[in-house]
mmCIF file of all heavy atoms in Angstrom:
data_model
loop_
_atom_site.group_PDB
_atom_site.id
_atom_site.type_symbol
_atom_site.label_atom_id
_atom_site.label_comp_id
_atom_site.label_asym_id
_atom_site.label_seq_id
_atom_site.Cartn_x
_atom_site.Cartn_y
_atom_site.Cartn_z
ATOM 1 N N ASP A 119 94.343 113.473 154.151
ATOM 2 C CA ASP A 119 94.660 112.370 155.053
ATOM 3 C C ASP A 119 93.443 111.454 155.203
ATOM 4 O O ASP A 119 92.412 111.884 155.712
ATOM 5 C CB ASP A 119 95.089 112.929 156.416
ATOM 6 C CG ASP A 119 95.535 111.841 157.369
ATOM 7 O OD1 ASP A 119 96.076 110.829 156.901
ATOM 8 O OD2 ASP A 119 95.325 112.005 158.592
ATOM 9 N N PHE A 120 93.596 110.218 154.750
ATOM 10 C CA PHE A 120 92.522 109.229 154.843
ATOM 11 C C PHE A 120 93.087 107.969 155.501
ATOM 12 O O PHE A 120 93.434 106.994 154.831
ATOM 13 C CB PHE A 120 91.957 108.926 153.448
ATOM 14 C CG PHE A 120 91.323 110.124 152.785
ATOM 15 C CD1 PHE A 120 92.086 110.989 151.999
ATOM 16 C CD2 PHE A 120 89.975 110.400 152.967
ATOM 17 C CE1 PHE A 120 91.501 112.106 151.413
ATOM 18 C CE2 PHE A 120 89.386 111.510 152.370
ATOM 19 C CZ PHE A 120 90.155 112.371 151.601
ATOM 20 N N PRO A 121 93.233 107.989 156.834
ATOM 21 C CA PRO A 121 93.930 106.913 157.540
ATOM 22 C C PRO A 121 93.271 105.545 157.431
ATOM 23 O O PRO A 121 93.937 104.534 157.636
ATOM 24 C CB PRO A 121 93.952 107.400 158.999
ATOM 25 C CG PRO A 121 92.879 108.431 159.093
ATOM 26 C CD PRO A 121 92.799 109.071 157.744
ATOM 27 N N ALA A 122 91.963 105.488 157.106
ATOM 28 C CA ALA A 122 91.295 104.192 157.024
ATOM 29 C C ALA A 122 91.687 103.419 155.764
ATOM 30 O O ALA A 122 91.362 102.238 155.638
ATOM 31 C CB ALA A 122 89.781 104.355 157.090
ATOM 32 N N VAL A 123 92.406 104.077 154.803
ATOM 33 C CA VAL A 123 92.861 103.340 153.608
ATOM 34 C C VAL A 123 94.224 102.661 153.847
ATOM 35 O O VAL A 123 94.298 101.435 153.684
ATOM 36 C CB VAL A 123 92.862 104.253 152.365
ATOM 37 C CG1 VAL A 123 93.370 103.475 151.147
ATOM 38 C CG2 VAL A 123 91.457 104.801 152.075
ATOM 39 N N PRO A 124 95.341 103.355 154.194
ATOM 40 C CA PRO A 124 95.456 104.812 154.317
ATOM 41 C C PRO A 124 95.990 105.459 153.026
ATOM 42 O O PRO A 124 96.778 104.873 152.310
ATOM 43 C CB PRO A 124 96.504 104.941 155.434
ATOM 44 C CG PRO A 124 97.390 103.742 155.267
ATOM 45 C CD PRO A 124 96.516 102.637 154.719
ATOM 46 N N TYR A 125 95.535 106.714 152.809
ATOM 47 C CA TYR A 125 96.107 107.609 151.801
ATOM 48 C C TYR A 125 96.602 108.863 152.506
ATOM 49 O O TYR A 125 96.000 109.292 153.517
ATOM 50 C CB TYR A 125 95.064 108.032 150.763
ATOM 51 C CG TYR A 125 94.650 106.980 149.767
ATOM 52 C CD1 TYR A 125 93.315 106.871 149.384
ATOM 53 C CD2 TYR A 125 95.568 106.125 149.157
ATOM 54 C CE1 TYR A 125 92.901 105.932 148.451
ATOM 55 C CE2 TYR A 125 95.159 105.182 148.219
ATOM 56 C CZ TYR A 125 93.830 105.085 147.872
ATOM 57 O OH TYR A 125 93.421 104.162 146.953
ATOM 58 N N SER A 126 97.656 109.468 151.937
ATOM 59 C CA SER A 126 98.165 110.748 152.439
ATOM 60 C C SER A 126 98.296 111.710 151.268
ATOM 61 O O SER A 126 97.971 111.364 150.122
ATOM 62 C CB SER A 126 99.531 110.545 153.099
ATOM 63 O OG SER A 126 100.519 110.301 152.096
ATOM 64 N N TYR A 127 98.825 112.892 151.545
ATOM 65 C CA TYR A 127 98.997 113.904 150.496
ATOM 66 C C TYR A 127 99.886 113.387 149.357
ATOM 67 O O TYR A 127 99.846 113.908 148.239
ATOM 68 C CB TYR A 127 99.588 115.183 151.096
ATOM 69 C CG TYR A 127 101.035 115.055 151.507
ATOM 70 C CD1 TYR A 127 102.055 115.428 150.643
ATOM 71 C CD2 TYR A 127 101.383 114.539 152.756
ATOM 72 C CE1 TYR A 127 103.385 115.291 151.004
ATOM 73 C CE2 TYR A 127 102.698 114.403 153.134
ATOM 74 C CZ TYR A 127 103.706 114.776 152.256
ATOM 75 O OH TYR A 127 105.020 114.639 152.618
ATOM 76 N N LEU A 128 100.666 112.342 149.616
ATOM 77 C CA LEU A 128 101.564 111.797 148.598
ATOM 78 C C LEU A 128 100.810 111.043 147.500
ATOM 79 O O LEU A 128 101.373 110.734 146.455
ATOM 80 C CB LEU A 128 102.573 110.838 149.242
ATOM 81 C CG LEU A 128 103.530 111.450 150.259
ATOM 82 C CD1 LEU A 128 104.307 110.351 150.974
ATOM 83 C CD2 LEU A 128 104.478 112.440 149.569
ATOM 84 N N ASP A 129 99.549 110.742 147.740
ATOM 85 C CA ASP A 129 98.804 109.828 146.868
ATOM 86 C C ASP A 129 97.832 110.538 145.922
ATOM 87 O O ASP A 129 96.970 109.886 145.326
ATOM 88 C CB ASP A 129 98.047 108.812 147.728
ATOM 89 C CG ASP A 129 98.994 108.003 148.603
ATOM 90 O OD1 ASP A 129 100.021 107.547 148.073
ATOM 91 O OD2 ASP A 129 98.725 107.860 149.805
ATOM 92 N N PHE A 130 97.978 111.847 145.777
ATOM 93 C CA PHE A 130 97.046 112.621 144.955
ATOM 94 C C PHE A 130 97.772 113.362 143.836
ATOM 95 O O PHE A 130 98.991 113.518 143.855
ATOM 96 C CB PHE A 130 96.243 113.580 145.838
ATOM 97 C CG PHE A 130 95.332 112.859 146.793
ATOM 98 C CD1 PHE A 130 95.792 112.451 148.041
ATOM 99 C CD2 PHE A 130 94.041 112.524 146.430
ATOM 100 C CE1 PHE A 130 94.967 111.750 148.913
ATOM 101 C CE2 PHE A 130 93.215 111.814 147.287
ATOM 102 C CZ PHE A 130 93.679 111.427 148.527
ATOM 103 N N ASN A 131 96.992 113.842 142.883
ATOM 104 C CA ASN A 131 97.527 114.341 141.612
ATOM 105 C C ASN A 131 97.843 115.831 141.593
ATOM 106 O O ASN A 131 98.205 116.347 140.536
ATOM 107 C CB ASN A 131 96.509 114.067 140.491
ATOM 108 C CG ASN A 131 96.829 112.803 139.729
ATOM 109 O OD1 ASN A 131 97.969 112.358 139.695
ATOM 110 N ND2 ASN A 131 95.814 112.205 139.118
ATOM 111 N N ASP A 132 97.708 116.516 142.711
ATOM 112 C CA ASP A 132 97.790 117.982 142.692
ATOM 113 C C ASP A 132 99.009 118.513 141.937
ATOM 114 O O ASP A 132 98.915 119.488 141.186
ATOM 115 C CB ASP A 132 97.792 118.525 144.123
ATOM 116 C CG ASP A 132 96.476 118.250 144.831
ATOM 117 O OD1 ASP A 132 95.754 117.337 144.388
ATOM 118 O OD2 ASP A 132 96.159 118.930 145.813
ATOM 119 N N GLY A 133 100.151 117.861 142.116
ATOM 120 C CA GLY A 133 101.375 118.349 141.484
ATOM 121 C C GLY A 133 101.357 118.257 139.971
ATOM 122 O O GLY A 133 102.114 118.951 139.292
ATOM 123 N N LYS A 134 100.488 117.428 139.414
ATOM 124 C CA LYS A 134 100.428 117.252 137.955
ATOM 125 C C LYS A 134 99.372 118.134 137.298
ATOM 126 O O LYS A 134 99.310 118.201 136.076
ATOM 127 C CB LYS A 134 100.134 115.783 137.615
ATOM 128 C CG LYS A 134 101.260 114.840 137.980
ATOM 129 C CD LYS A 134 101.076 113.471 137.350
ATOM 130 C CE LYS A 134 99.756 112.855 137.736
ATOM 131 N NZ LYS A 134 99.616 111.460 137.281
ATOM 132 N N CYS A 135 98.540 118.776 138.102
ATOM 133 C CA CYS A 135 97.474 119.620 137.534
ATOM 134 C C CYS A 135 98.018 121.005 137.229
ATOM 135 O O CYS A 135 98.660 121.627 138.076
ATOM 136 C CB CYS A 135 96.301 119.705 138.509
ATOM 137 S SG CYS A 135 94.986 120.791 137.903
ATOM 138 N N SER A 136 97.717 121.486 136.034
ATOM 139 C CA SER A 136 98.292 122.754 135.573
ATOM 140 C C SER A 136 97.392 123.961 135.808
ATOM 141 O O SER A 136 97.778 125.080 135.484
ATOM 142 C CB SER A 136 98.608 122.644 134.081
ATOM 143 O OG SER A 136 97.419 122.366 133.352
ATOM 144 N N THR A 137 96.203 123.764 136.368
ATOM 145 C CA THR A 137 95.286 124.897 136.516
ATOM 146 C C THR A 137 95.491 125.586 137.863
ATOM 147 O O THR A 137 95.889 124.957 138.844
ATOM 148 C CB THR A 137 93.819 124.461 136.397
ATOM 149 O OG1 THR A 137 93.480 123.619 137.512
ATOM 150 C CG2 THR A 137 93.576 123.691 135.113
ATOM 151 N N ALA A 138 95.177 126.869 137.897
ATOM 152 C CA ALA A 138 95.348 127.642 139.130
ATOM 153 C C ALA A 138 94.421 127.151 140.229
ATOM 154 O O ALA A 138 94.781 127.145 141.416
ATOM 155 C CB ALA A 138 95.097 129.119 138.844
ATOM 156 N N SER A 139 93.212 126.707 139.848
ATOM 157 C CA SER A 139 92.227 126.273 140.839
ATOM 158 C C SER A 139 92.467 124.851 141.326
ATOM 159 O O SER A 139 91.959 124.437 142.362
ATOM 160 C CB SER A 139 90.822 126.371 140.244
ATOM 161 O OG SER A 139 90.677 125.427 139.185
ATOM 162 N N GLY A 140 93.234 124.082 140.544
ATOM 163 C CA GLY A 140 93.394 122.659 140.848
ATOM 164 C C GLY A 140 92.265 121.809 140.289
ATOM 165 O O GLY A 140 92.294 120.584 140.378
ATOM 166 N N ASN A 141 91.257 122.473 139.710
ATOM 167 C CA ASN A 141 90.105 121.782 139.125
ATOM 168 C C ASN A 141 90.202 121.768 137.605
ATOM 169 O O ASN A 141 90.966 122.535 137.012
ATOM 170 C CB ASN A 141 88.802 122.474 139.536
ATOM 171 C CG ASN A 141 88.552 122.419 141.024
ATOM 172 O OD1 ASN A 141 88.953 121.453 141.684
ATOM 173 N ND2 ASN A 141 87.921 123.442 141.567
ATOM 174 N N ILE A 142 89.407 120.902 136.970
ATOM 175 C CA ILE A 142 89.334 120.896 135.509
ATOM 176 C C ILE A 142 88.691 122.203 135.058
ATOM 177 O O ILE A 142 87.605 122.564 135.510
ATOM 178 C CB ILE A 142 88.501 119.706 135.004
ATOM 179 C CG1 ILE A 142 89.103 118.387 135.479
ATOM 180 C CG2 ILE A 142 88.385 119.733 133.480
ATOM 181 C CD1 ILE A 142 88.158 117.199 135.338
ATOM 182 N N GLU A 143 89.364 122.924 134.178
ATOM 183 C CA GLU A 143 88.827 124.186 133.670
ATOM 184 C C GLU A 143 88.558 124.139 132.166
ATOM 185 O O GLU A 143 87.783 124.939 131.650
ATOM 186 C CB GLU A 143 89.807 125.329 133.995
ATOM 187 C CG GLU A 143 89.967 125.558 135.508
ATOM 188 C CD GLU A 143 91.027 126.588 135.833
ATOM 189 O OE1 GLU A 143 91.632 127.155 134.889
ATOM 190 O OE2 GLU A 143 91.260 126.820 137.036
ATOM 191 N N ASN A 144 89.216 123.193 131.481
ATOM 192 C CA ASN A 144 89.094 123.126 130.022
ATOM 193 C C ASN A 144 89.008 121.673 129.590
ATOM 194 O O ASN A 144 90.001 120.936 129.646
ATOM 195 C CB ASN A 144 90.305 123.803 129.375
ATOM 196 C CG ASN A 144 90.313 123.649 127.866
ATOM 197 O OD1 ASN A 144 89.286 123.325 127.254
ATOM 198 N ND2 ASN A 144 91.469 123.865 127.249
#
C-alpha cells in the first residue's frame, strides 16, 4: 500500500512470478 502514489496490491507482479520466494532465483 503506497497511498501517496497511490499504488495497491493490484499494481505489483507477484502473481506472475514463478519462484517460491517471489525473488529472482535464476
Side-chain angles (χ1 to χ4, degrees):
D119 184 32
F120 297 89
V123 179
Y125 287 140
S126 73
Y127 71 94
L128 297 171
D129 301 314
F130 294 87
N131 263 336
D132 295 21
K134 293 193 303 187
C135 177
S136 60
T137 66
S139 67
N141 296 329
I142 301 165
E143 296 174 1
N144 174 17

